[in-house]
Amino acid sequence: MKEIVFAGGCFWGVEAYFKLIDGVVTSTVGYANGHKENPTYEEVCSKKTGHSEACYLTYDEDKISLAELLKAYWAIVDPTVLNRQGPDVGEQYRTGIYFTDQEDLEIINTSKLEEQKKYSAPIVTEIQPLTKFWDAEAYHQDYLEKNPYGYCHIPLDEIRKKMNKS
């Protein structure tokens, strides 16, 4: 299994979206690349920890490539906006791609260069090695499965229809 971490605003929707994709094996929401050890949601929201809300994925490279996952990621974020996605504002809602395998960096950078062609503004998505990842509290895991009418900035119903999944 391979691993990648995506930050794209509120992690509930990012997790629900990637769980729709064949080849994604596991997903865990949490807090990436901050400086506070084992932060709570409230601490991350205080803007004092440096973490982003993120989704840690493991995926089967025989079913989906990193390039395909990156294409799916770019489809749900506005990578030109700093510290905001949808109505969510704050550094914890920044976009980010955090890798665990240095060999993935070339694929990520190539994907970013290709995505940049779609925008006149520069892409501000962080691309960094994953230095820390702390699992979010249990109630955040699979949140939109447990709360089907919960808030989400990603149009999951439209995406499910396109994917023919309910």
Side-chain angles (χ1 to χ4, degrees):
M1 293 299 133
K2 295 274 295 184
E3 303 170 331
I4 194 75
V5 177
F6 291 125
C10 175
F11 50 23
W12 297 340
V14 175
E15 179 185 42
Y17 171 70
F18 279 102
K19 288 180 87 167
L20 296 171
I21 297 175
D22 190 38
V24 171
V25 178
T26 65
S27 62
T28 304
V29 295
Y31 314 114
N33 281 20
H35 52 78
K36 169 110 175 42
E37 297 288 310
N38 200 21
T40 65
Y41 179 70
E42 290 74 21
E43 289 171 327
V44 171
C45 290
S46 77
K47 300 176 177 83
K48 295 178 183 172
T49 71
H51 292 85
S52 62
E53 286 192 18
C55 187
Y56 193 112
L57 303 175
T58 60
Y59 63 98
D60 183 343
E61 200 173 25
D62 291 332
K63 292 186 177 182
I64 190 164
S65 68
L66 176 57
E68 291 169 311
L69 279 176
L70 288 161
K71 186 176 179 183
Y73 170 75
W74 296 121
I76 61 163
V77 298
D78 180 343
T80 66
V81 176
L82 185 63
N83 298 334
R84 180 177 60 83
Q85 288 296 297
D88 299 314
V89 178
E91 73 175 356
Q92 75 271 28
Y93 298 118
R94 67 189 181 271
T95 57
I97 302 168
Y98 308 111
F99 55 92
T100 60
D101 184 342
Q102 188 65 35
E103 291 181 12
D104 290 342
L105 183 57
E106 184 177 343
I107 296 167
I108 295 165
N109 284 333
T110 298
S111 174
K112 177 186 172 190
L113 287 172
E114 190 61 32
E115 189 66 17
Q116 182 63 68
K117 293 175 184 177
K118 299 176 186 176
Y119 300 95
S120 57
I123 288 178
V124 296
T125 301
E126 290 182 334
I127 297 173
Q128 300 176 347
L130 181 67
T131 58
K132 300 265 182 171
F133 186 87
W134 302 96
D135 290 1
E137 296 80 354
Y139 72 93
H140 287 297
Q141 307 301 328
D142 304 310
Y143 185 85
L144 292 175
E145 285 179 27
K146 297 182 266 188
N147 301 278
Y149 300 106
Y151 161 78
C152 184
H153 70 287
I154 297 169
L156 291 170
D157 288 339
E158 291 175 31
I159 292 167
R160 284 187 192 100
K161 287 177 187 171
K162 287 180 185 175
M163 297 172 92
N164 293 319
K165 294 185 178 188
S166 43

